[in-house]
Amino acid sequence: MSKTEVPYKIYLTEDEMPKAWYNLRADMKNKPAPLMNPGTHKPMTAEELGGVFCDELVKQELDDTTPFIEIPEEIRNFYKMYRPSPLVRAYCLEEKLQTPAKIYYKFEGNNTSGSHKLNSAIAQAYYAKKQGLKGVTTETGAGQWGTALSMACAYLGLDCKVYMVKVSYEQKPFRREVMRTYGASVVPSPSETTEVGKKILAEHPGTTGSLGCAISEAVEVAVKNPGYRYVLGSVLNQVLLHQSVIGLEAKTALDKYGIKPDIVIGCAGGGSNLGGLIAPFMGEKLRGEADYRIIAVEPASCPSFTRGTFAYDFCDTGMICPLAKMYTLGSSFIPSANHAGGLRFHGMSTTLSQLYHDGFMEATSVEQTSVFEAAEMFARIEGILPAPESSHAIRVAIDEALKCKETGEEKTIVFGLTGTGYFDLVAYQKYNDGEMSDYIPTDEEIAASVAKLPKVE
Amino acid sequence: MSKTEVPYKIYLTEDEMPKAWYNLRADMKNKPAPLMNPGTHKPMTAEELGGVFCDELVKQELDDTTPFIEIPEEIRNFYKMYRPSPLVRAYCLEEKLQTPAKIYYKFEGNNTSGSHKLNSAIAQAYYAKKQGLKGVTTETGAGQWGTALSMACAYLGLDCKVYMVKVSYEQKPFRREVMRTYGASVVPSPSETTEVGKKILAEHPGTTGSLGCAISEAVEVAVKNPGYRYVLGSVLNQVLLHQSVIGLEAKTALDKYGIKPDIVIGCAGGGSNLGGLIAPFMGEKLRGEADYRIIAVEPASCPSFTRGTFAYDFCDTGMICPLAKMYTLGSSFIPSANHAGGLRFHGMSTTLSQLYHDGFMEATSVEQTSVFEAAEMFARIEGILPAPESSHAIRVAIDEALKCKETGEEKTIVFGLTGTGYFDLVAYQKYNDGEMSDYIPTDEEIAASVAKLPKVE
């Protein structure tokens, strides 16, 4: 396929945009293990989940057989405001690297939340609104999810309470201002506003927080306030379902030009982007229709796939959420404070965990200085300042392209550029000043938090 | 044209993107007055201008007869990385306003510089590189132009020195970090690094700076350093030429759907976005082929069109630049420090000034609290957090749409959404906290700076 044939950016028409989400679980022989009640150690029922989540979302969470679930028209119309997102051919990067590889990236950053998170935020807010709720609560790490949810709630007129991991709250003052502009209230976590927050603060004074803590707080507030439910931006099956719009668009765009990727690469924190991007490719793989190398990239400082244990664990630090069977570092694991690159969650989507366990995908971990090196290079060549999260995928995409240079193979690489780094300038400043360091947890550290995993038969 | 017929976003294909810039001056009977040598009061020659600007750009600056100037292939390829920009139908805003008006906006914010400025930055950097220069110097106000130039220079491997208006430098620390990530050096202006900076600091200690000061400093550095030239992000004819890509794309997109706008609205600081957006529409108007209402929107705190004088003036505070005949508040005019919304230049493009003088367009001024009110509303409804600059146009577009609601007229309104407000969160915070105020300069203030206009026959 020559330069003149494939444009720099492939945009679908509105007609070509997906009308249904793809539910990857329907094609899995080994289904992801069900969420479990932390008290009874029995699978969570729809009724139990309904106390925390919106009803329609509970249905989606539990449905592992329906392959396609229609996207309501209102959500499709909202998608049209910022989607389709472009599939970009990285001609300039290829030229700079002098690689025979063909590099594509699906760019999800062209919206104010700055990432793919909006795809699920609008869906979750829509179902909350439809259920007649007053508002939703959530946690946010780097701030992408909180911003996305604020935008969705502002659009639909829902109240939005965001618990933001303290280290991000301090490093990203402008993130909270965006959320405020969209009418959300933002609380640094752990906080004194919840019982679980008080407990965590008492046990770990001076903690910089974690997604696990923030989830506990947000869930507590949702459960205690009538008319509120909790929503989550990653990990859950429903989130991967909504995010399948990324992969579906990417696949349609590639198909239009007859392109079949060899490698699909995504960064992985809780798995929302990765699960969404790879969905239709993984589907073909599961059905034996095609083969792809699928690579999850995680930070070396929070390596749940590559160094975690596949077991039931709490999704939150406060241990009030259902248990999920996943690759986990233990719910008490808190990434080093020097880690600036997002992807801080201790566990991983149950769906992706099962697929990884069954050998359908690979995982690798990268250190943050090399991630920012790739980020800066990408920014200067491709003109987009990437989010640190997304830059994990850039790092590995570049490495794979350089391998092609050595071997002379003309592989086609697709990676997910999940978002922009416009609110991550404190981290970039650190990198620019040469003050960024790497941290790899010791085996002892990981063993210590894994030792606290709940005992489940 | 019904909702189903016009998509939310109209994207041109790469083939439909402009291959030449449109030089509006070629269609003007009354040409804009030439730049004048401040010493001799004679029109600047190409040779004189060549000491400050790149040769090819001087040629473009002086050419008021060639209607179309080819866009070099390298620039067109760079454009393809972030263009075409979408022409968006504001369905959600229309619905919210309950207006029969049809509102479109040309959104130039989908690139890391966050605005339309990149369109001219890459062109100017390209010609500098082609001339074999080492680097370029420039000024930046809100930071959009400096960021754009940094990106263009990083891409081409040119050195980039940016003088940033001090108030913006302090209000927008992350802007300078983006520029640094792109390898630029950024100095708050006025500074001690130049003679003119020292002089201004001595005369006005504690000044928060102005574009006029920063221009003087950047020009001084360019002239004193071999291998460097000065580049400017607005006001000049060459900039309007490059920015015509905005209007050309917008017009092609409208033509594809048979849409003829009634009103075209753009914010106006130095005129780069406005001149670019309106170019092909104004061309038709000048040639008598069509009629449009064309509205320039400027801040009430820096009202060069609506309260300035049409006369020769310096473009810079240091009075070392050529004189330009334009609507001006006087080169010593410095907008109130409470003004957060960009568009701080004391004068206006000579081309637009002539057109305004000859009655081909209207101008209006708006106060910043009402601008931020429109900005917040737009963000919540259309999902894009707009730059304060762009929000001037949003304000007037909403006002015009509300007039249509009263009269029942189904007018078609097109406005320029020049960029995003992701680096303007200090200003948004002020607005969110209710701490934003308006300032309208008194007649005496304006008269005082206008009294200092150079005496030119």
Side-chain angles (χ1 to χ4, degrees):
Chain A
M1 194 69 48
S2 83
K3 194 158 175 169
T4 47
E5 283 167 6
V6 179
Y8 278 68
K9 291 187 257 96
I10 308 176
Y11 279 108
L12 304 182
T13 65
E14 284 185 3
D15 288 343
E16 294 169 326
M17 286 170 69
K19 291 175 182 60
W21 292 301
Y22 168 56
N23 184 6
L24 182 56
R25 288 164 291 163
D27 282 313
M28 290 169 70
K29 265 187 208 157
N30 297 335
K31 306 289 183 190
L35 294 174
M36 208 166 257
N37 184 308
T40 65
H41 287 193
K42 284 187 182 158
M44 292 287 287
T45 63
E47 205 186 335
E48 286 172 326
L49 286 170
V52 179
F53 300 112
C54 306
D55 298 344
E56 190 64 30
L57 293 168
V58 168
K59 222 171 112 189
Q60 294 180 356
E61 190 63 30
L62 297 176
D63 184 345
D64 58 11
T65 54
T66 311
F68 287 96
I69 293 175
E70 201 195 322
I71 308 174
E73 198 193 346
E74 293 88 337
I75 299 176
R76 281 195 283 133
N77 284 341
F78 188 89
Y79 279 172
K80 286 178 193 165
M81 287 209 293
Y82 71 100
R83 307 194 67 80
S85 72
L87 182 75
V88 186
R89 172 75 183 265
Y91 282 120
C92 298
L93 183 60
E94 291 171 19
E95 199 183 309
K96 185 78 174 185
L97 297 176
Q98 292 285 301
T99 175
K102 294 170 184 66
I103 308 173
Y104 293 84
Y105 55 91
K106 180 72 171 164
F107 179 42
E108 292 287 320
N110 272 350
N111 70 77
T112 288
S113 80
S115 82
H116 66 293
K117 296 284 184 180
L118 197 51
N119 302 330
S120 186
I122 185 62
Q124 297 194 45
Y126 168 80
Y127 291 119
K129 179 82 180 177
K130 212 178 149 200
Q131 196 174 321
L133 299 177
K134 273 192 270 183
V136 290
T137 70
T138 198
E139 82 300 327
T140 199
Q144 293 180 337
W145 168 248
T147 311
L149 191 68
S150 308
M151 289 175 66
C153 287
Y155 182 79
L156 294 167
L158 277 176
D159 186 39
C160 179
K161 296 186 198 299
V162 180
Y163 283 84
M164 186 170 187
V165 176
K166 194 178 273 172
V167 63
S168 293
Y169 185 90
E170 284 160 7
Q171 277 186 0
K172 304 185 179 186
F174 291 172
R175 267 284 180 204
R176 62 172 192 254
E177 215 49 52
V178 182
M179 293 188 241
R180 249 182 106 204
T181 301
Y182 282 96
S185 69
V186 188
V187 182
S189 168
S191 77
E192 299 281 351
T193 66
T194 63
E195 292 310 315
V196 67
K198 284 180 202 164
K199 187 161 169 274
I200 291 167
L201 281 172
E203 284 169 17
H204 306 278
T207 174
T208 53
S210 72
L211 270 181
C213 301
I215 292 173
S216 298
E217 294 203 81
V219 170
E220 182 183 318
V221 172
V223 171
K224 285 187 176 168
N225 286 280
Y228 281 79
R229 289 294 185 284
Y230 167 70
V231 296
L232 178 63
S234 192
V235 182
L236 296 174
N237 296 321
Q238 60 191 261
V239 177
L240 266 68
L241 175 73
H242 306 147
Q243 295 296 357
S244 68
V245 70
I246 305 172
L248 293 167
E249 279 187 9
K251 182 125 199 341
T252 305
L254 290 167
D255 287 348
K256 268 178 88 162
Y257 288 87
I259 303 159
K260 192 187 161 295
D262 299 291
I263 311 176
V264 183
I265 300 168
C267 62
S272 71
N273 148 69
L274 181 70
L277 174 67
I278 68 172
F281 303 100
M282 184 62 87
E284 287 191 342
K285 197 166 173 171
L286 291 169
R287 297 189 303 269
E289 297 165 7
D291 197 18
Y292 305 96
R293 259 189 84 195
I294 294 176
I295 308 177
V297 189
E298 55 187 16
S301 55
C302 195
S304 40
F305 264 144
T306 50
R307 296 178 66 200
T309 300
F310 188 43
Y312 266 104
D313 193 10
F314 290 95
C315 291
D316 63 324
T317 310
M319 305 185 182
I320 62 176
C321 286
L323 301 174
K325 188 172 179 192
M326 57 188 176
Y327 279 86
T328 177
L329 297 162
S331 68
S332 62
F333 182 85
I334 294 185
S336 161
N338 94 332
H339 175 65
L343 311 174
R344 300 170 62 87
F345 190 58
H346 65 274
M348 184 60 67
S349 141
T350 56
T351 299
L352 295 180
S353 292
Q354 189 65 50
L355 289 165
Y356 179 61
H357 185 70
D358 292 344
F360 288 105
M361 53 190 281
E362 306 166 29
T364 185
S365 75
V366 287
E367 295 181 36
Q368 72 176 354
T369 51
S370 79
V371 166
F372 275 82
E373 187 193 355
E376 189 192 79
M377 181 179 177
F378 184 84
R380 293 185 181 191
I381 297 168
E382 286 286 319
I384 298 169
L385 187 81
E389 291 85 345
S390 327
S391 305
H392 288 73
I394 297 175
R395 172 75 272 165
V396 172
I398 289 176
D399 291 346
E400 290 294 331
L402 290 174
K403 280 184 209 161
C404 288
K405 187 177 174 177
E406 284 190 19
T407 61
E409 289 173 290
E410 289 189 28
K411 288 187 181 166
T412 296
I413 300 168
V414 174
F415 72 90
L417 188 71
T418 59
T420 53
Y422 306 153
F423 295 101
D424 302 291
L425 271 304
V426 169
Y428 273 98
Q429 182 167 10
K430 244 187 178 173
Y431 177 73
N432 291 336
D433 289 341
E435 286 169 7
M436 182 168 282
S437 57
D438 293 317
Y439 182 79
I440 303 180
T442 62
D443 289 342
E444 290 69 27
E445 272 177 274
I446 294 177
S449 54
V450 164
K452 295 180 198 154
L453 289 181
K455 307 285 172 262
V456 178
E457 292 312 299
Chain B
M1 192 73 44
S2 84
K3 194 156 174 169
T4 46
E5 284 168 5
V6 178
Y8 278 67
K9 291 187 257 98
I10 309 175
Y11 278 109
L12 304 183
T13 64
E14 285 185 2
D15 287 343
E16 292 169 329
M17 286 171 69
K19 291 176 184 58
W21 292 303
Y22 168 56
N23 184 7
L24 182 56
R25 288 164 291 165
D27 282 312
M28 291 169 70
K29 264 186 209 156
N30 297 334
K31 306 289 183 190
L35 295 173
M36 208 166 256
N37 184 306
T40 65
H41 288 193
K42 284 187 182 157
M44 292 287 287
T45 62
E47 205 186 335
E48 286 172 325
L49 286 170
V52 179
F53 300 113
C54 307
D55 298 343
E56 190 64 31
L57 293 167
V58 168
K59 223 171 110 188
Q60 294 179 355
E61 190 63 30
L62 297 175
D63 183 346
D64 59 10
T65 54
T66 312
F68 288 96
I69 293 173
E70 201 195 323
I71 308 174
E73 200 194 345
E74 293 86 338
I75 299 176
R76 281 195 281 132
N77 283 342
F78 188 90
Y79 279 172
K80 286 178 193 165
M81 287 208 294
Y82 71 99
R83 308 196 68 80
S85 72
L87 182 75
V88 186
R89 174 75 183 265
Y91 283 120
C92 298
L93 183 61
E94 291 171 18
E95 200 183 309
K96 184 78 175 185
L97 297 176
Q98 291 283 303
T99 174
K102 293 170 184 68
I103 309 174
Y104 293 84
Y105 56 92
K106 179 71 172 164
F107 179 41
E108 292 287 320
N110 273 350
N111 70 76
T112 289
S113 81
S115 83
H116 66 293
K117 296 283 184 181
L118 197 50
N119 302 331
S120 186
I122 186 59
Q124 296 193 46
Y126 168 79
Y127 291 120
K129 179 82 179 176
K130 211 177 150 201
Q131 196 174 320
L133 298 177
K134 272 192 270 184
V136 291
T137 70
T138 198
E139 81 298 328
T140 198
Q144 293 180 336
W145 168 247
T147 311
L149 191 67
S150 308
M151 289 175 67
C153 286
Y155 182 79
L156 294 168
L158 277 175
D159 186 41
C160 180
K161 295 184 198 302
V162 180
Y163 284 83
M164 186 170 187
V165 176
K166 193 179 275 171
V167 62
S168 294
Y169 185 89
E170 283 159 5
Q171 277 185 1
K172 304 186 179 183
F174 291 172
R175 268 282 181 206
R176 62 172 190 255
E177 215 49 52
V178 182
M179 293 188 243
R180 250 183 105 204
T181 301
Y182 282 96
S185 69
V186 189
V187 182
S189 168
S191 76
E192 299 282 350
T193 67
T194 64
E195 292 310 313
V196 68
K198 286 180 201 165
K199 188 162 169 273
I200 291 166
L201 281 172
E203 283 169 18
H204 307 278
T207 174
T208 54
S210 72
L211 270 182
C213 301
I215 293 174
S216 298
E217 293 203 83
V219 170
E220 183 184 318
V221 173
V223 171
K224 285 188 178 168
N225 286 281
Y228 281 78
R229 289 294 185 285
Y230 167 70
V231 296
L232 177 63
S234 191
V235 182
L236 297 175
N237 296 321
Q238 59 190 263
V239 177
L240 266 70
L241 176 72
H242 307 147
Q243 294 296 357
S244 68
V245 70
I246 305 172
L248 292 167
E249 279 188 9
K251 183 125 198 345
T252 304
L254 291 167
D255 286 348
K256 268 178 88 162
Y257 289 86
I259 304 158
K260 194 187 159 295
D262 299 291
I263 310 176
V264 182
I265 300 167
C267 62
S272 71
N273 148 70
L274 181 70
L277 174 68
I278 68 173
F281 304 100
M282 183 61 87
E284 288 190 342
K285 196 166 173 172
L286 290 170
R287 296 189 303 268
E289 296 164 8
D291 198 16
Y292 306 95
R293 260 189 85 196
I294 294 175
I295 309 176
V297 189
E298 55 186 16
S301 54
C302 194
S304 41
F305 264 143
T306 51
R307 295 178 66 200
T309 301
F310 188 43
Y312 266 103
D313 192 9
F314 291 95
C315 290
D316 64 325
T317 311
M319 305 186 183
I320 62 175
C321 286
L323 302 174
K325 190 173 179 188
M326 57 187 178
Y327 280 86
T328 177
L329 298 162
S331 66
S332 62
F333 182 86
I334 294 184
S336 160
N338 94 332
H339 174 65
L343 311 173
R344 301 170 61 87
F345 191 58
H346 65 274
M348 184 60 68
S349 141
T350 57
T351 298
L352 295 179
S353 291
Q354 189 64 50
L355 290 165
Y356 180 62
H357 186 70
D358 292 344
F360 288 105
M361 52 189 281
E362 306 167 29
T364 186
S365 75
V366 288
E367 295 180 38
Q368 72 176 354
T369 51
S370 79
V371 166
F372 275 83
E373 186 192 355
E376 188 192 78
M377 180 178 178
F378 184 84
R380 293 185 181 191
I381 297 167
E382 286 286 320
I384 297 169
L385 187 81
E389 292 84 346
S390 327
S391 305
H392 289 73
I394 297 175
R395 173 75 273 166
V396 172
I398 289 176
D399 291 347
E400 290 294 331
L402 290 174
K403 280 184 208 163
C404 289
K405 187 177 178 177
E406 285 191 16
T407 62
E409 289 172 290
E410 291 187 27
K411 287 188 182 165
T412 296
I413 299 169
V414 174
F415 73 89
L417 188 70
T418 59
T420 53
Y422 307 153
F423 295 101
D424 302 290
L425 271 305
V426 169
Y428 273 97
Q429 180 167 12
K430 244 186 174 173
Y431 177 74
N432 291 337
D433 289 341
E435 285 168 9
M436 183 168 280
S437 57
D438 292 318
Y439 182 78
I440 303 180
T442 63
D443 289 342
E444 290 71 26
E445 271 176 275
I446 293 177
S449 53
V450 164
K452 294 180 198 154
L453 289 180
K455 307 286 172 264
V456 178
E457 289 313 298

